[in-house]
Amino acid sequence: AQKITQTQPGMFVQEKEAVTLDCTYDTSDQSYGLFWYKQPSSGEMIFLIYQGSYDEQNATEGRYSLNFQKARKSANLVISASQLGDSAMYFCAMSRPWGVNTGNQFYFGTGTSLTVIP
Amino acid sequence: DSGVTQTPKHLITATGQRVTLRCSPRSGDLSVYWYQQSLDQGLQFLIQYYNGEERAKGNILERFSAQQFPDLHSELNLSSLELGDSALYFCASSADRGMGETQYFGPGTRLLVL
């Protein structure tokens, strides 16, 4: 069974500091994708970063980087230089192929609530 | 603004009823995904359509059905509604159907079943 685990229900970080949000996943698939999404209090889901299981380099997108440790099945999100606007819920997600040449299933963790302190 | 639109924004209905949620993907996007977000179940993937065809299924109940029309908009039909169906329903779209495609989420439809 596929599963995403986010063990930190809530995190606090000082403005301008870096923070790491943990995510571990469980799958027996060789090919899969890992995502992080941000959900502000307004409710919309915002894509942050993607890492493919065959990608050897850690993904980076601006202040976001994904620390991918395949053997440990972890995909932690690192936010550098935190800003007040980073306060939000963060979800880790995994995609896996469903069938042959068809679509993909997606699994989400329970989320981590990040609060940036001025 | 992601470019994905969902209507209605809010919906209040009674148990046993049927509702239809509508989603218009971003211009040019061929894939549409439906998700349910509730307090007890978290975010659940329901179903994916690509260019009018069902491509992947998640935890979608038999009481729920979806389709994607030739103009690529999609509808999620929820029938025989129960209190537990109260949730935020998201639609997302992506350009293609690959595993790493960036999904752009709509603002969601908040459904309350009384």
Side-chain angles (χ1 to χ4, degrees), chain B residues 5-88:
Chain B
T5 59
Q6 290 187 247
T7 56
K9 273 191 170 181
H10 301 276
L11 199 47
I12 303 174
T13 189
T15 54
Q17 294 299 304
R18 173 190 166 94
V19 297
T20 297
L21 313 184
R22 184 189 166 102
C23 168
S24 292
R26 291 190 325 154
S27 177
D29 282 0
L30 297 177
S31 266
V32 168
Y33 312 79
W34 285 98
Y35 296 89
Q36 178 195 59
Q37 185 176 31
S38 62
L39 282 174
D40 54 343
Q41 302 267 17
L43 256 168
Q44 302 269 329
F45 165 68
L46 296 179
I47 199 163
Q48 176 193 7
Y49 277 82
Y50 175 77
N51 205 18
E53 294 187 18
E54 181 186 302
R55 291 297 188 176
K57 267 185 166 179
N59 295 326
I60 188 165
L61 300 172
E62 284 192 15
R63 300 184 286 108
F64 296 0
S65 65
Q67 54 184 329
Q68 186 181 26
F69 295 86
D71 67 352
L72 300 177
H73 91 272
S74 179
E75 292 181 357
L76 179 67
N77 300 296
L78 316 176
S79 61
S80 303
L81 284 167
E82 301 175 0
L83 295 178
D85 298 328
S86 295
L88 183 57

Side-chain angles (χ1 to χ4, degrees), chain A residues 3 20-21 23 25 34 46 52 59 68-69 101 103 110 116:
Chain A
K3 191 175 178 183
T20 298
L21 306 184
C23 172
Y25 59 93
L34 296 158
I46 303 166
F68 180 46
Q69 297 188 43
N101 294 328
T110 50
V116 180

Side-chain angles (χ1 to χ4, degrees), chain A residues 32 48 96 108:
Chain A
Y32 52 90
L48 295 178
R96 63 181 293 268
F108 284 79

